[in-house]
Coordinates of all heavy atoms in Angstrom, one line a residue:
A1 N -59.7 16.4 -20.5 CA -60.2 15.1 -20.8 C -61.1 15.3 -22.0 O -61.9 16.1 -22.3 CB -60.8 14.5 -19.6
V2 N -61.0 14.2 -22.8 CA -61.8 14.2 -24.0 C -62.9 13.1 -23.9 O -62.5 11.9 -23.5 CB -61.0 13.8 -25.2 CG1 -61.9 13.6 -26.5 CG2 -60.0 14.8 -25.5
V3 N -64.2 13.3 -24.1 CA -65.3 12.4 -24.1 C -65.6 12.1 -25.5 O -65.9 13.1 -26.2 CB -66.4 13.0 -23.2 CG1 -67.5 12.0 -23.2 CG2 -66.0 13.4 -21.8
S4 N -65.6 10.8 -25.8 CA -65.9 10.4 -27.3 C -67.3 10.0 -27.3 O -67.9 9.2 -26.4 CB -64.9 9.3 -27.6 OG -63.6 9.8 -27.6
T5 N -67.9 10.2 -28.4 CA -69.3 9.6 -28.8 C -69.1 9.2 -30.3 O -68.0 9.7 -31.0 CB -70.4 10.5 -28.6 OG1 -70.3 11.6 -29.6 CG2 -70.5 11.1 -27.2
Q6 N -70.0 8.7 -30.9 CA -69.9 8.4 -32.4 C -70.0 9.7 -33.1 O -69.6 9.8 -34.3 CB -71.1 7.5 -32.8 CG -70.9 6.1 -32.2 CD -72.2 5.2 -32.7 OE1 -73.1 5.6 -33.3 NE2 -72.1 3.8 -32.3
S7 N -70.5 10.7 -32.5 CA -70.7 12.0 -33.4 C -69.6 13.0 -33.0 O -69.5 14.1 -33.6 CB -72.0 12.7 -33.1 OG -72.2 13.0 -31.8
G8 N -68.6 12.8 -32.2 CA -67.6 13.8 -31.8 C -66.9 13.7 -30.6 O -67.1 12.7 -29.8
H9 N -66.1 14.7 -30.3 CA -65.4 14.8 -29.1 C -65.7 16.2 -28.4 O -66.0 17.1 -29.1 CB -63.8 14.8 -29.4 CG -63.3 13.6 -29.9 ND1 -63.0 12.4 -29.2 CD2 -63.2 13.1 -31.1 CE1 -62.7 11.5 -30.0 NE2 -62.7 11.8 -31.1
Y10 N -65.7 16.1 -27.1 CA -66.1 17.2 -26.3 C -65.0 17.6 -25.3 O -64.7 16.7 -24.6 CB -67.5 17.0 -25.6 CG -68.5 16.6 -26.6 CD1 -68.7 15.2 -26.7 CD2 -69.4 17.5 -27.1 CE1 -69.7 14.8 -27.6 CE2 -70.4 17.0 -27.8 CZ -70.6 15.6 -28.1 OH -71.6 15.2 -29.0
G11 N -64.7 18.9 -25.3 CA -63.8 19.3 -24.2 C -62.3 19.1 -24.4 O -61.8 18.1 -24.7
R12 N -61.5 20.2 -24.3 CA -60.1 20.1 -24.5 C -59.6 21.5 -24.4 O -60.4 22.4 -24.4 CB -59.8 19.6 -25.9 CG -58.4 19.1 -26.3 CD -58.1 18.0 -25.3 NE -56.7 17.6 -25.6 CZ -56.2 16.4 -25.1 NH1 -56.9 15.6 -24.3 NH2 -54.9 16.2 -25.3
G13 N -58.3 21.7 -24.2 CA -57.8 23.0 -24.2 C -56.3 23.1 -24.3 O -55.7 22.0 -24.4
T14 N -55.8 24.3 -24.4 CA -54.3 24.4 -24.6 C -53.6 24.4 -23.3 O -54.3 24.6 -22.2 CB -54.1 25.7 -25.4 OG1 -54.5 26.8 -24.6 CG2 -54.6 25.8 -26.7
E15 N -52.5 24.2 -23.2 CA -51.6 24.3 -22.0 C -51.5 25.8 -21.5 O -51.2 26.6 -22.2 CB -50.2 23.6 -22.1 CG -49.4 23.4 -20.8 CD -48.2 22.8 -21.0 OE1 -48.0 22.1 -22.1 OE2 -47.3 22.8 -20.2
P16 N -51.9 26.0 -20.2 CA -51.8 27.4 -19.7 C -50.5 28.1 -19.9 O -49.4 27.5 -19.7 CB -52.1 27.2 -18.3 CG -52.9 26.1 -18.1 CD -52.3 25.1 -19.1
G17 N -50.6 29.3 -20.6 CA -49.3 30.1 -20.8 C -48.5 29.6 -21.9 O -47.4 30.2 -22.2
K18 N -48.8 28.6 -22.8 CA -48.0 27.9 -23.8 C -48.7 28.1 -25.1 O -49.8 28.2 -25.2 CB -47.8 26.5 -23.6 CG -47.2 26.2 -22.2 CD -45.7 26.6 -21.9 CE -45.2 26.1 -20.6 NZ -43.9 26.5 -20.3
G19 N -47.8 28.2 -26.2 CA -48.2 28.1 -27.5 C -48.7 29.5 -28.1 O -49.0 29.6 -29.2
F20 N -48.8 30.5 -27.4 CA -49.0 31.9 -27.9 C -47.9 32.5 -28.7 O -46.7 32.3 -28.3 CB -49.4 32.8 -26.8 CG -50.7 32.4 -26.0 CD1 -50.6 31.6 -24.8 CD2 -51.9 32.8 -26.5 CE1 -51.8 31.2 -24.2 CE2 -53.1 32.4 -25.8 CZ -53.0 31.5 -24.8
L21 N -48.2 33.1 -29.9 CA -47.2 33.8 -30.7 C -47.5 35.2 -30.8 O -48.7 35.6 -30.7 CB -47.4 33.1 -32.1 CG -47.1 31.6 -32.1 CD1 -47.4 31.0 -33.6 CD2 -45.6 31.3 -31.7
K22 N -46.5 35.9 -30.9 CA -46.7 37.4 -31.0 C -47.3 37.8 -32.4 O -47.0 37.3 -33.4 CB -45.4 38.2 -30.9 CG -44.9 38.2 -29.6 CD -43.6 39.1 -29.4 CE -43.1 39.1 -28.1 NZ -42.0 40.0 -27.9
Y23 N -48.3 38.6 -32.3 CA -49.0 39.2 -33.5 C -48.0 40.2 -34.1 O -47.0 40.6 -33.5 CB -50.3 39.8 -33.2 CG -51.1 40.2 -34.4 CD1 -51.7 39.3 -35.2 CD2 -51.4 41.6 -34.5 CE1 -52.4 39.8 -36.4 CE2 -52.1 42.0 -35.6 CZ -52.7 41.0 -36.5 OH -53.4 41.4 -37.6
S24 N -48.3 40.6 -35.3 CA -47.4 41.5 -36.1 C -47.1 42.8 -35.4 O -46.1 43.5 -35.6 CB -48.0 41.7 -37.6 OG -49.2 42.3 -37.5
D25 N -48.1 43.3 -34.6 CA -47.9 44.5 -33.8 C -46.9 44.4 -32.6 O -46.5 45.3 -31.9 CB -49.2 45.1 -33.2 CG -49.9 44.2 -32.2 OD1 -49.2 43.2 -31.7 OD2 -50.9 44.6 -31.6
G26 N -46.4 43.1 -32.4 CA -45.4 42.9 -31.4 C -45.9 42.9 -29.9 O -45.1 42.6 -29.0
K27 N -47.2 43.2 -29.7 CA -47.8 43.3 -28.4 C -48.9 42.2 -28.2 O -49.0 41.6 -27.1 CB -48.4 44.6 -28.1 CG -47.5 45.9 -27.9 CD -48.2 47.1 -27.6 CE -49.7 47.0 -27.2 NZ -50.2 48.2 -26.9
N28 N -49.7 42.0 -29.1 CA -50.8 41.2 -29.0 C -50.5 39.7 -29.6 O -49.3 39.5 -29.9 CB -52.0 41.7 -29.6 CG -52.6 42.9 -28.7 OD1 -53.0 42.6 -27.6 ND2 -52.4 44.1 -29.2
S29 N -51.4 38.9 -29.4 CA -51.0 37.4 -29.7 C -52.1 36.6 -30.6 O -53.2 37.1 -30.7 CB -50.6 36.7 -28.4 OG -51.7 36.7 -27.6
Y30 N -51.6 35.6 -31.0 CA -52.6 34.6 -31.5 C -52.1 33.1 -31.2 O -51.0 32.9 -30.7 CB -52.7 34.7 -33.0 CG -51.4 34.4 -33.8 CD1 -51.2 33.1 -34.4 CD2 -50.5 35.3 -34.0 CE1 -50.1 32.7 -35.1 CE2 -49.3 35.1 -34.7 CZ -49.2 33.8 -35.4 OH -48.1 33.5 -36.0
I31 N -52.9 32.2 -31.3 CA -52.6 30.8 -30.9 C -53.3 29.8 -31.9 O -54.5 30.0 -32.2 CB -52.9 30.4 -29.5 CG1 -52.4 29.0 -29.1 CG2 -54.4 30.6 -29.2 CD1 -52.4 28.8 -27.6
D32 N -52.5 28.9 -32.4 CA -53.2 27.9 -33.3 C -53.4 26.7 -32.3 O -52.5 26.1 -31.6 CB -52.1 27.4 -34.3 CG -51.9 28.5 -35.3 OD1 -53.0 29.2 -35.7 OD2 -50.7 28.8 -35.8
V33 N -54.6 26.3 -32.3 CA -55.1 25.2 -31.4 C -55.3 23.9 -32.1 O -56.0 23.9 -33.1 CB -56.4 25.6 -30.6 CG1 -57.0 24.4 -29.7 CG2 -56.2 26.9 -29.9
S34 N -54.6 22.9 -31.7 CA -54.6 21.6 -32.4 C -55.8 20.7 -31.9 O -56.0 20.6 -30.7 CB -53.4 20.8 -32.3 OG -53.5 19.4 -32.8
M35 N -56.5 20.1 -32.9 CA -57.6 19.1 -32.6 C -57.2 17.8 -33.3 O -58.1 17.1 -33.4 CB -58.9 19.7 -32.9 CG -59.3 21.0 -32.4 SD -61.0 21.5 -32.9 CE -60.9 21.6 -34.8
A36 N -56.0 17.7 -33.7 CA -55.7 16.5 -34.6 C -56.0 15.2 -33.9 O -56.3 14.2 -34.4 CB -54.3 16.6 -35.0
H37 N -55.9 15.2 -32.6 CA -56.0 14.0 -31.7 C -57.5 13.6 -31.7 O -57.7 12.5 -31.3 CB -55.6 14.3 -30.3 CG -56.3 15.4 -29.6 ND1 -55.9 16.7 -29.9 CD2 -57.4 15.4 -28.8 CE1 -56.8 17.6 -29.2 NE2 -57.6 16.8 -28.6
C38 N -58.5 14.4 -32.1 CA -59.8 14.1 -32.0 C -60.3 13.2 -33.2 O -61.2 12.5 -33.0 CB -60.6 15.4 -32.1 SG -60.5 16.4 -30.6
G39 N -59.6 13.3 -34.3 CA -60.0 12.4 -35.4 C -61.2 12.7 -36.2 O -61.9 11.9 -36.7
F40 N -61.5 14.1 -36.2 CA -62.6 14.5 -37.0 C -62.5 14.2 -38.5 O -61.3 14.4 -39.1 CB -62.9 16.0 -36.8 CG -63.4 16.3 -35.4 CD1 -62.6 17.1 -34.6 CD2 -64.6 16.0 -35.0 CE1 -63.0 17.4 -33.3 CE2 -65.0 16.2 -33.7 CZ -64.3 17.1 -32.9
I41 N -63.5 13.9 -39.2 CA -63.5 13.7 -40.6 C -63.7 14.9 -41.4 O -63.6 15.0 -42.6 CB -64.3 12.5 -41.2 CG1 -65.9 12.7 -40.8 CG2 -63.8 11.3 -40.6 CD1 -66.8 11.6 -41.4
D42 N -64.3 15.8 -40.8 CA -64.7 17.2 -41.4 C -64.6 18.3 -40.3 O -64.4 18.0 -39.1 CB -66.2 17.2 -42.0 CG -66.3 18.1 -43.1 OD1 -65.5 19.0 -43.4 OD2 -67.4 18.1 -43.6
T43 N -64.7 19.4 -40.7 CA -64.5 20.6 -39.8 C -65.7 20.6 -38.8 O -66.9 20.6 -39.2 CB -64.6 22.0 -40.4 OG1 -63.5 21.9 -41.5 CG2 -64.3 23.1 -39.5
P44 N -65.5 20.5 -37.5 CA -66.4 20.4 -36.6 C -67.0 21.8 -36.1 O -66.4 22.9 -36.5 CB -65.8 19.8 -35.3 CG -64.4 20.3 -35.4 CD -64.0 20.4 -36.8
V45 N -68.1 21.8 -35.3 CA -68.6 23.0 -34.8 C -67.8 23.3 -33.5 O -67.6 22.4 -32.7 CB -70.1 23.0 -34.3 CG1 -70.6 24.1 -33.6 CG2 -70.9 22.7 -35.6
I46 N -67.2 24.6 -33.4 CA -66.1 24.8 -32.3 C -66.8 26.0 -31.5 O -67.2 27.0 -32.1 CB -64.9 25.1 -32.8 CG1 -64.3 24.0 -33.7 CG2 -63.9 25.3 -31.8 CD1 -63.2 24.5 -34.6
V47 N -66.7 25.9 -30.2 CA -66.9 27.0 -29.3 C -65.8 27.1 -28.3 O -65.3 26.1 -27.8 CB -68.3 26.7 -28.5 CG1 -68.4 27.9 -27.4 CG2 -69.4 26.5 -29.4
S48 N -65.2 28.4 -28.2 CA -64.0 28.5 -27.5 C -64.2 29.6 -26.4 O -65.0 30.4 -26.5 CB -62.7 28.8 -28.4 OG -62.8 30.0 -28.9
S49 N -63.2 29.5 -25.4 CA -63.3 30.5 -24.4 C -61.9 30.7 -23.9 O -61.1 29.7 -23.8 CB -64.1 30.0 -23.3 OG -64.2 30.9 -22.1
L50 N -61.6 32.0 -23.4 CA -60.3 32.2 -22.9 C -60.3 32.2 -21.5 O -61.3 32.6 -20.8 CB -59.8 33.7 -23.3 CG -58.6 34.3 -22.7 CD1 -57.4 33.6 -23.2 CD2 -58.4 35.8 -23.0
H51 N -59.5 31.3 -20.7 CA -59.3 31.1 -19.4 C -57.9 31.6 -18.9 O -57.0 31.8 -19.7 CB -59.4 29.7 -19.1 CG -60.7 29.1 -19.4 ND1 -61.3 28.4 -18.4 CD2 -61.5 29.1 -20.4 CE1 -62.5 28.0 -18.9 NE2 -62.6 28.3 -20.0
G52 N -57.8 31.9 -17.6 CA -56.5 32.3 -17.1 C -56.7 32.6 -15.6 O -57.8 32.6 -15.0
S53 N -55.5 33.1 -15.1 CA -55.5 33.4 -13.7 C -55.8 34.9 -13.4 O -56.2 35.2 -12.2 CB -54.1 33.1 -13.0 OG -53.0 33.8 -13.6
S54 N -55.7 35.8 -14.4 CA -55.8 37.1 -14.1 C -55.9 37.9 -15.6 O -55.4 37.4 -16.5 CB -54.8 37.7 -13.3 OG -55.0 39.0 -13.0
H55 N -56.6 39.0 -15.6 CA -56.6 40.0 -16.7 C -57.3 39.5 -18.0 O -57.5 40.2 -19.0 CB -55.1 40.4 -17.2 CG -54.5 41.3 -16.0 ND1 -54.0 40.7 -14.9 CD2 -54.2 42.5 -16.0 CE1 -53.5 41.7 -14.2 NE2 -53.6 42.8 -14.8
H56 N -57.7 38.2 -18.0 CA -58.4 37.6 -19.3 C -59.8 38.3 -19.3 O -60.2 38.2 -20.4 CB -58.3 36.2 -19.2 CG -59.0 35.6 -18.1 ND1 -58.4 35.7 -16.8 CD2 -60.1 34.8 -18.0 CE1 -59.2 35.1 -16.1 NE2 -60.3 34.5 -16.6
W57 N -60.3 38.8 -18.3 CA -61.6 39.3 -18.4 C -61.7 40.5 -19.3 O -62.7 40.9 -19.9 CB -62.2 39.7 -17.1 CG -61.4 40.8 -16.4 CD1 -60.3 40.7 -15.7 CD2 -61.7 42.2 -16.5 NE1 -59.9 41.9 -15.3 CE2 -60.8 42.9 -15.7 CE3 -62.8 42.9 -17.0 CZ2 -60.8 44.3 -15.6 CZ3 -62.8 44.3 -16.9 CH2 -61.8 44.9 -16.2
H58 N -60.7 41.2 -19.6 CA -60.6 42.5 -20.3 C -60.1 42.2 -21.7 O -60.1 43.1 -22.4 CB -59.8 43.4 -19.6 CG -59.9 44.8 -20.1 ND1 -59.1 45.5 -21.0 CD2 -60.8 45.8 -19.9 CE1 -59.4 46.7 -21.1 NE2 -60.5 46.8 -20.5
A59 N -59.7 41.0 -22.0 CA -59.2 40.7 -23.4 C -60.4 40.3 -24.3 O -61.5 39.9 -23.9 CB -58.2 39.4 -23.3
T60 N -60.1 40.5 -25.6 CA -61.1 40.2 -26.5 C -60.5 39.2 -27.6 O -59.3 39.0 -27.7 CB -61.6 41.5 -27.4 OG1 -60.5 42.0 -28.1 CG2 -62.3 42.5 -26.5
G61 N -61.4 38.4 -28.2 CA -60.9 37.5 -29.2 C -60.9 36.0 -28.9 O -60.8 35.2 -29.8
G62 N -61.0 35.7 -27.6 CA -60.9 34.3 -27.2 C -62.0 33.4 -27.7 O -61.8 32.2 -27.7
S63 N -63.1 33.9 -28.1 CA -64.1 33.1 -28.6 C -64.4 33.2 -30.1 O -65.3 32.7 -30.7 CB -65.5 33.5 -28.0 OG -65.8 34.8 -28.2
A64 N -63.6 33.9 -30.7 CA -63.5 34.1 -32.1 C -62.6 33.0 -32.8 O -61.5 33.0 -32.7 CB -63.1 35.6 -32.6
I65 N -63.3 32.2 -33.7 CA -62.6 31.1 -34.3 C -62.1 31.5 -35.8 O -63.0 32.0 -36.5 CB -63.6 29.9 -34.5 CG1 -64.2 29.5 -33.1 CG2 -62.8 28.6 -35.1 CD1 -63.2 29.0 -32.0
Y66 N -61.0 31.4 -36.1 CA -60.4 31.7 -37.5 C -59.8 30.5 -38.0 O -59.3 29.6 -37.3 CB -59.3 32.7 -37.3 CG -59.8 34.2 -37.1 CD1 -60.1 34.6 -35.7 CD2 -60.3 35.1 -38.1 CE1 -60.5 35.9 -35.5 CE2 -60.7 36.3 -37.7 CZ -60.9 36.7 -36.5 OH -61.3 37.9 -36.2
T67 N -59.9 30.4 -39.3 CA -59.4 29.3 -40.2 C -59.5 27.8 -39.7 O -58.6 27.0 -39.3 CB -57.8 29.4 -40.4 OG1 -57.1 29.5 -39.2 CG2 -57.6 30.7 -41.2
P68 N -61.0 27.5 -39.2 CA -61.1 26.2 -38.7 C -61.0 25.1 -39.7 O -61.4 25.3 -40.9 CB -62.6 26.3 -38.2 CG -63.3 27.3 -39.1 CD -62.2 28.3 -39.4
T69 N -60.5 24.0 -39.3 CA -60.4 22.8 -40.2 C -60.7 21.6 -39.3 O -61.0 21.8 -38.0 CB -58.9 22.6 -40.7 OG1 -58.0 22.2 -39.7 CG2 -58.3 23.9 -41.4
R70 N -60.6 20.4 -39.8 CA -60.9 19.3 -39.0 C -59.8 19.0 -37.8 O -60.1 18.4 -36.9 CB -61.0 18.0 -39.8 CG -59.8 17.5 -40.5 CD -60.1 16.4 -41.3 NE -58.8 15.9 -41.9 CZ -58.6 14.8 -42.7 NH1 -59.8 14.1 -42.9 NH2 -57.4 14.4 -43.0
D71 N -58.6 19.6 -38.1 CA -57.5 19.3 -37.2 C -57.1 20.6 -36.3 O -56.3 20.4 -35.4 CB -56.2 19.0 -38.0 CG -56.4 17.7 -38.6 OD1 -57.0 16.8 -38.1 OD2 -55.8 17.4 -39.8
S72 N -57.6 21.8 -36.6 CA -57.1 23.0 -35.9 C -57.9 24.2 -36.1 O -58.7 24.2 -37.0 CB -55.7 23.3 -36.2 OG -55.6 23.7 -37.6
F73 N -57.8 25.2 -35.3 CA -58.3 26.5 -35.6 C -57.3 27.6 -34.9 O -56.4 27.2 -34.1 CB -59.8 26.7 -34.9 CG -59.8 26.6 -33.4 CD1 -59.7 27.8 -32.7 CD2 -59.9 25.4 -32.8 CE1 -59.8 27.7 -31.3 CE2 -60.1 25.2 -31.5 CZ -60.0 26.5 -30.8
R74 N -57.6 28.8 -35.3 CA -56.7 29.9 -34.7 C -57.6 30.9 -34.0 O -58.7 31.1 -34.5 CB -55.9 30.6 -35.8 CG -55.2 31.8 -35.4 CD -54.3 32.3 -36.5 NE -53.2 31.6 -36.8 CZ -52.2 31.8 -37.6 NH1 -52.2 32.9 -38.3 NH2 -51.2 31.1 -37.7
T75 N -57.1 31.5 -33.0 CA -57.7 32.6 -32.3 C -56.9 33.8 -32.0 O -55.6 33.4 -31.7 CB -58.6 32.2 -31.0 OG1 -59.3 33.3 -30.6 CG2 -57.7 31.8 -30.0
Y76 N -57.3 34.9 -32.3 CA -56.4 36.2 -32.0 C -56.8 36.8 -30.7 O -58.0 37.0 -30.6 CB -56.5 37.2 -33.1 CG -56.0 36.7 -34.5 CD1 -56.8 35.9 -35.3 CD2 -54.6 37.0 -34.9 CE1 -56.3 35.4 -36.6 CE2 -54.2 36.4 -36.1 CZ -55.1 35.7 -37.0 OH -54.5 35.2 -38.0
L77 N -55.9 37.2 -29.9 CA -56.2 37.9 -28.6 C -55.7 39.3 -28.6 O -54.6 39.7 -28.9 CB -55.6 37.2 -27.5 CG -56.0 35.6 -27.4 CD1 -55.2 35.0 -26.3 CD2 -57.5 35.5 -27.1
Y78 N -56.6 40.2 -28.2 CA -56.2 41.5 -28.0 C -56.5 42.0 -26.7 O -57.5 41.6 -26.0 CB -57.1 42.6 -29.0 CG -56.8 44.0 -28.7 CD1 -55.6 44.6 -29.2 CD2 -57.6 44.7 -27.9 CE1 -55.5 45.9 -29.0 CE2 -57.4 46.0 -27.4 CZ -56.3 46.6 -28.0 OH -56.1 47.9 -27.8
H79 N -55.6 42.8 -26.0 CA -55.6 43.4 -24.7 C -55.0 44.8 -24.9 O -53.9 44.9 -25.5 CB -55.0 42.6 -23.7 CG -55.2 43.0 -22.2 ND1 -54.7 44.1 -21.6 CD2 -56.1 42.5 -21.3 CE1 -55.2 44.2 -20.4 NE2 -56.1 43.3 -20.2
S80 N -55.5 45.8 -24.3 CA -55.1 47.2 -24.4 C -53.6 47.3 -23.9 O -52.9 48.1 -24.3 CB -56.0 48.2 -23.6 OG -56.1 48.0 -22.2
S81 N -53.3 46.4 -22.9 CA -51.9 46.4 -22.4 C -51.0 45.4 -23.2 O -49.8 45.3 -22.9 CB -51.9 46.0 -21.0 OG -52.5 46.8 -20.2
G82 N -51.5 44.8 -24.3 CA -50.8 43.8 -24.9 C -51.1 42.3 -24.4 O -50.8 42.1 -23.3
S83 N -51.7 41.5 -25.3 CA -51.9 40.2 -24.8 C -50.8 39.2 -24.7 O -50.9 38.1 -23.9 CB -53.0 39.6 -25.7 OG -52.6 39.3 -26.9
Y84 N -49.7 39.4 -25.4 CA -48.7 38.3 -25.5 C -48.0 38.2 -24.1 O -48.1 37.0 -23.6 CB -47.6 38.6 -26.4 CG -46.6 37.5 -26.6 CD1 -46.8 36.2 -27.1 CD2 -45.4 37.7 -25.8 CE1 -45.8 35.3 -27.2 CE2 -44.4 36.7 -25.8 CZ -44.7 35.5 -26.5 OH -43.7 34.5 -26.4
A85 N -47.6 39.2 -23.5 CA -46.9 39.0 -22.1 C -47.9 38.6 -21.1 O -47.7 37.7 -20.2 CB -46.4 40.4 -21.7
L86 N -49.2 38.9 -21.2 CA -50.2 38.6 -20.2 C -50.5 37.0 -20.4 O -50.8 36.3 -19.5 CB -51.5 39.5 -20.4 CG -51.4 40.9 -19.9 CD1 -52.6 41.6 -20.2 CD2 -51.2 40.8 -18.3
A87 N -50.7 36.7 -21.6 CA -50.9 35.2 -21.9 C -50.0 34.3 -21.2 O -50.4 33.2 -20.7 CB -51.1 35.0 -23.4
V88 N -48.7 34.7 -21.3 CA -47.6 33.9 -20.7 C -47.6 34.0 -19.3 O -47.7 33.0 -18.5 CB -46.4 34.2 -21.4 CG1 -45.2 33.5 -20.8 CG2 -46.3 33.9 -22.8
S89 N -47.6 35.2 -18.8 CA -47.5 35.4 -17.3 C -48.7 35.1 -16.5 O -48.6 34.7 -15.3 CB -47.0 36.9 -17.0 OG -48.1 37.9 -17.3
K90 N -49.9 35.2 -17.0 CA -51.1 34.9 -16.3 C -51.7 33.5 -16.8 O -52.9 33.4 -16.4 CB -52.1 36.2 -16.6 CG -51.6 37.5 -16.2 CD -51.2 37.5 -14.6 CE -50.8 39.0 -14.4 NZ -50.3 39.0 -13.0
A91 N -50.9 32.8 -17.3 CA -51.3 31.3 -17.7 C -52.8 31.2 -18.4 O -53.6 30.5 -18.1 CB -51.5 30.6 -16.4
W92 N -52.8 32.1 -19.4 CA -54.0 32.0 -20.3 C -54.0 30.8 -21.0 O -52.9 30.2 -21.4 CB -54.1 33.2 -21.1 CG -54.3 34.6 -20.6 CD1 -54.5 34.9 -19.3 CD2 -54.5 35.9 -21.2 NE1 -54.7 36.2 -19.1 CE2 -54.8 36.7 -20.3 CE3 -54.3 36.1 -22.6 CZ2 -54.9 38.1 -20.6 CZ3 -54.6 37.5 -22.9 CH2 -54.9 38.5 -21.9
S93 N -55.2 30.3 -21.3 CA -55.3 29.1 -22.2 C -56.6 29.4 -23.0 O -57.7 30.0 -22.5 CB -55.4 27.8 -21.4 OG -56.5 27.8 -20.6
I94 N -56.8 28.5 -24.1 CA -58.0 28.5 -24.9 C -58.6 27.1 -24.5 O -58.0 26.1 -24.8 CB -57.7 28.6 -26.3 CG1 -57.1 29.9 -26.6 CG2 -59.1 28.4 -27.1 CD1 -58.0 31.2 -26.4
Q95 N -59.8 27.2 -24.0 CA -60.6 26.0 -23.8 C -61.7 25.8 -24.8 O -62.2 26.9 -25.3 CB -61.2 26.0 -22.3 CG -60.2 26.2 -21.2 CD -59.2 25.0 -21.2 OE1 -59.7 23.8 -21.3 NE2 -57.9 25.2 -21.0
Y96 N -62.0 24.7 -25.3 CA -62.9 24.6 -26.3 C -63.7 23.3 -26.3 O -63.4 22.4 -25.6 CB -62.4 24.7 -27.9 CG -61.4 23.5 -28.1 CD1 -62.0 22.4 -28.7 CD2 -60.1 23.5 -27.8 CE1 -61.2 21.4 -29.0 CE2 -59.3 22.4 -28.2 CZ -59.9 21.3 -28.8 OH -59.1 20.3 -29.2
I97 N -65.0 23.4 -27.0 CA -65.7 22.2 -27.2 C -65.8 22.1 -28.5 O -66.3 23.1 -29.3 CB -67.1 22.3 -26.5 CG1 -67.0 22.5 -25.0 CG2 -68.0 21.2 -26.9 CD1 -68.3 22.8 -24.3
A98 N -65.6 20.9 -29.2 CA -65.7 20.7 -30.7 C -66.7 19.5 -30.9 O -66.5 18.4 -30.3 CB -64.4 20.4 -31.4
V99 N -67.6 19.8 -31.7 CA -68.6 18.6 -32.1 C -68.6 18.4 -33.5 O -68.8 19.3 -34.2 CB -70.0 19.0 -31.5 CG1 -71.0 17.8 -31.8 CG2 -69.9 19.4 -30.0
G100 N -68.3 17.1 -33.9 CA -68.4 16.8 -35.3 C -68.2 15.3 -35.5 O -68.2 14.6 -34.5
Y101 N -68.4 14.8 -36.7 CA -68.3 13.4 -36.9 C -66.9 12.9 -37.1 O -65.9 13.6 -37.4 CB -68.9 13.1 -38.3 CG -70.5 13.4 -38.3 CD1 -71.0 14.5 -38.9 CD2 -71.2 12.6 -37.7 CE1 -72.3 14.8 -38.9 CE2 -72.6 12.8 -37.6 CZ -73.1 13.9 -38.1 OH -74.5 14.1 -38.1
V102 N -66.7 11.6 -36.5 CA -65.4 11.0 -36.4 C -65.4 9.7 -37.2 O -64.4 9.0 -37.3 CB -65.0 10.8 -35.0 CG1 -64.7 12.1 -34.2 CG2 -66.0 9.9 -34.2
C103 N -66.6 9.4 -37.7 CA -66.5 8.1 -38.6 C -67.6 8.3 -39.8 O -68.3 9.2 -39.8 CB -66.8 6.9 -37.9 SG -68.4 7.0 -36.9

């Protein structure tokens, strides 16, 4: 759910196990997270977290924000066993809070 105020939108996430793409090593993954529905007029402040049913406690990268814009950001995930297969099979998702101006 998205909660709106004059200064921004709070709370959103990706669909569990969906949207992850294989990184160039063929084992790990990244995901582009859309925030286009929020209507930010500039790049917001973003805090993200990796959620899932299992194995996400040992992954790294879920809170690292890359290439943020007003409409999206990317995060890369690493797991010693490979994050791509785990992201899909263990229903991982990126949950985030974004705060910024919408008018």
Side-chain angles (χ1 to χ4, degrees):
V2 175
V3 177
S4 296
T5 70
Q6 291 180 355
S7 63
H9 294 276
Y10 306 89
R12 196 66 179 185
T14 61
E15 188 176 344
K18 307 286 184 190
F20 293 93
L21 301 170
K22 285 186 180 178
Y23 188 66
S24 60
D25 68 0
K27 289 181 17 176
N28 288 290
S29 60
Y30 65 94
I31 187 169
D32 292 316
V33 180
S34 175
M35 303 183 299
H37 59 279
C38 294
F40 292 115
I41 60 172
D42 203 356
T43 303
V45 175
I46 306 162
V47 177
S48 69
S49 177
L50 177 62
H51 290 232
S53 66
S54 182
H55 292 75
H56 58 292
W57 67 273
H58 196 257
T60 59
S63 62
I65 306 296
Y66 288 86
T67 60
T69 69
R70 67 183 189 174
D71 294 324
S72 67
F73 67 92
R74 176 177 283 187
T75 188
Y76 295 89
L77 301 173
Y78 172 82
H79 190 283
S80 59
S81 297
S83 67
Y84 180 75
L86 289 170
V88 175
S89 67
K90 303 300 182 186
W92 288 3
S93 67
I94 298 295
Q95 301 297 315
Y96 69 88
I97 296 171
V99 180
Y101 291 103
V102 295
C103 58

